[in-house]
Amino acid sequence: MIEGASEGASDEAIEATAEADLDVDTVPPAELLSEAQLEALLFVAERPLSRREIAAVSGVDRATVDARLGDLEVSLAARGIRLVLSADRVELVTAPEAGALIARYVGADAVRLSPASLETLAIVAYRQPVTKAAIERIRGVDSDYTVRTLLHRRLVVELGRSDGPGRPFLYGTGFEFLERFGLTSLEELPPLDVEVAARLVEDDAADGVEAEAPADDSSNGTEPA
C-alpha cells in the first residue's frame, strides 16, 4: 500500500508544483494509455494522483484516463491490490481481506479508536462536509480534542471553510479513512437506520454558528481518543 499524502490545500500545492515542473510538450504522445502503464504509474507514485496529473504525464485526455481507471478498477476487483478513488484523486491500496495478514507482517495492528472517536468519525463520514459546531450539536458534547486527534491520525481532513459566520473549517474523510475501513469509495458506507439518519440531519445554514457551550463528556475536560 502506498502511504497517502496529507490532504487539503497541501495536496493542491503539490499537484500544482508537479504540473508546473512537467513540460507537457516533451511527453511522448500515448494515444492509448494501457492498464499496465496506469497501474505501474500508480504503484510508483508516493502519493495519490489526480486525474489531471495522470493525463498530463501520460499525454492523453481526461476521457482516456477515466476509461482506463474504470478498466483497472474492474481488473483489480478480485486481486490483492485495489484502486481507491476519492474526489479527483486515485491511489492503489491493499485489499481489505488481506488486512490481517499484512498487520501480522508489519508487526502491529492498527491503532484502536475510542467510542468517542468512532462516534465523531461516523458523523463526519455520513455528514461531510461538516463543521465542528455541527458535530458538537449532534453529539451534545465538546468535540475539539477528538476532532484534533482524528486530524492527527489523518482519518479526518480539512476540506476548506464554510461560508457561515466566522468561516469555520469544514471536515470530511480522506484516503486513510477508506483504507482503514476497507472501502474503495464513500458509496460503500452501510446505510443508516431511520432514527440514526434523522440525528445526522442538520440545517446547512446553521453550520459555523456556535451553539451554546456543550457539556463535556469527561471529568478532566477532554475526551479519550
Side-chain angles (χ1 to χ4, degrees):
M1 176 174 62
I2 298 174
E3 185 73 17
S6 59
E7 303 285 343
S10 59
D11 278 338
E12 295 176 0
I14 292 173
E15 292 172 10
T17 301
E19 291 182 20
D21 292 340
L22 178 65
D23 184 356
V24 179
D25 291 337
T26 66
V27 177
E31 294 182 1
L32 293 175
L33 174 64
S34 70
E35 285 185 49
Q37 289 174 322
L38 179 57
E39 184 177 2
L41 176 62
L42 293 173
F43 179 79
V44 301
E46 297 180 351
R47 58 181 173 80
L49 297 180
S50 70
R51 290 174 170 85
R52 183 174 55 185
E53 285 181 283
I54 297 171
V57 76
S58 60
V60 301
D61 58 25
R62 281 286 301 271
T64 300
V65 172
D66 290 341
R68 292 297 82 75
L69 285 172
D71 294 339
L72 183 59
E73 185 176 19
V74 172
S75 297
L76 296 177
R79 290 165 54 183
I81 299 295
R82 302 290 169 79
L83 187 67
V84 171
L85 298 91
S86 179
D88 187 55
R89 296 191 299 276
V90 296
E91 181 184 28
L92 290 179
V93 301
T94 54
E97 56 266 29
L101 176 62
I102 293 171
R104 289 198 296 272
Y105 173 73
V106 300
D109 288 323
V111 177
R112 295 185 180 277
L113 296 174
S114 70
S117 291
L118 286 171
E119 182 180 63
T120 302
L121 187 56
I123 293 171
V124 174
Y126 283 95
R127 180 68 176 80
Q128 62 184 303
V130 62
T131 64
K132 184 167 70 70
I135 294 170
E136 292 175 339
R137 286 197 299 273
I138 295 170
R139 294 192 65 216
V141 297
D142 181 87
S143 301
D144 182 70
Y145 179 77
T146 303
V147 170
R148 284 190 285 111
T149 298
L150 293 172
L151 283 168
H152 177 72
R153 293 177 178 173
R154 296 192 295 180
L155 292 171
V156 166
V157 298
E158 293 175 357
L159 300 179
R161 288 185 177 272
S162 167
D163 291 330
R167 301 208 55 193
F169 282 109
L170 292 168
Y171 299 105
T173 55
F175 276 102
E176 293 285 339
F177 172 80
L178 295 175
E179 292 172 3
R180 176 70 181 272
F181 292 95
L183 305 172
T184 58
S185 71
L186 293 175
E187 283 69 28
E188 294 182 2
L189 285 170
L192 298 173
D193 67 39
V194 176
E195 291 185 4
V196 174
R199 288 186 58 202
L200 296 180
V201 175
E202 291 286 316
D203 183 1
D204 288 334
D207 278 359
V209 178
E210 293 295 336
E212 295 182 3
D216 212 350
D217 61 352
S218 63
S219 58
N220 63 359
T222 61
E223 299 177 71

